Amino acid sequence: MLLRAGALLALGGAAAPLTGCDLFDRDDESRTPDPLEPLAAEATALEARHRAAATAVPALAERLTAIADAHRAHAEELRKAIGRPAPSGSPAVAPSAAPADPDTVRAELRQAEQEGRDNAAKACAAAPAERAALLGSIAAARATHVEALK
């Protein structure tokens, strides 16, 4: 069989295209986004929002920094589960021109946390068992953040 295929190639008439080289070029994991990618990105974005708010409202800094730290830990765990490194550097924190109203800041962050909680709960319900515990923990933490921002 191998001799026959070699003879066909030598004559210039391959019966089937050569796809064996494709085995070395394939990287299916990098082509297909992992379902946890949006949650990891969301955790990073929530961390950045909380850090920016902590800068804008020093009276809330301690509470918001603790929540931001939790989001950073979640993003790291999600990246480990995905098997991809986190983006380098820390999330961008937008500078604040003037201190913001604490009630407004808390309300906006509470809304973001509620959306994040819902996203994590949906992902948990759809996840395979080995990921459900992580996602359930993140959904529970985000629910706790909603309460902490009241």
Side-chain angles (χ1 to χ4, degrees):
M1 176 77 167
L2 187 58
L3 291 174
R4 201 176 319 160
L8 284 173
L9 285 174
L11 296 173
L18 288 177
T19 59
C21 294
D22 188 41
L23 292 175
F24 299 109
D25 296 334
R26 296 182 80 186
D27 190 5
D28 291 339
E29 289 182 2
S30 67
R31 291 182 188 162
T32 305
D34 189 287
L36 297 183
E37 287 284 349
L39 284 175
E42 182 178 56
T44 300
L46 284 168
E47 176 192 359
R49 284 187 75 175
H50 282 79
R51 293 205 191 282
T55 301
V57 185
L60 297 176
E62 186 176 344
R63 183 185 325 182
L64 299 180
T65 299
I67 294 172
D69 291 345
H71 285 301
R72 174 173 280 217
H74 294 158
E76 289 172 2
E77 290 302 315
L78 288 163
R79 293 280 175 207
K80 284 181 192 175
I82 294 167
R84 295 188 184 139
S88 61
S90 58
V93 176
S96 176
D101 173 53
D103 292 336
T104 302
V105 169
R106 282 195 340 263
E108 289 172 356
L109 291 174
R110 193 168 47 248
Q111 178 63 37
E113 290 289 348
Q114 288 169 337
E115 291 171 12
R117 176 202 58 208
D118 293 345
N119 292 338
K122 287 176 190 171
C124 181
E130 64 272 7
R131 291 181 162 186
L134 172 62
L135 297 171
S137 174
I138 291 170
R142 290 180 179 179
T144 301
H145 298 162
V146 170
E147 294 303 314
L149 290 166
K150 284 187 175 179

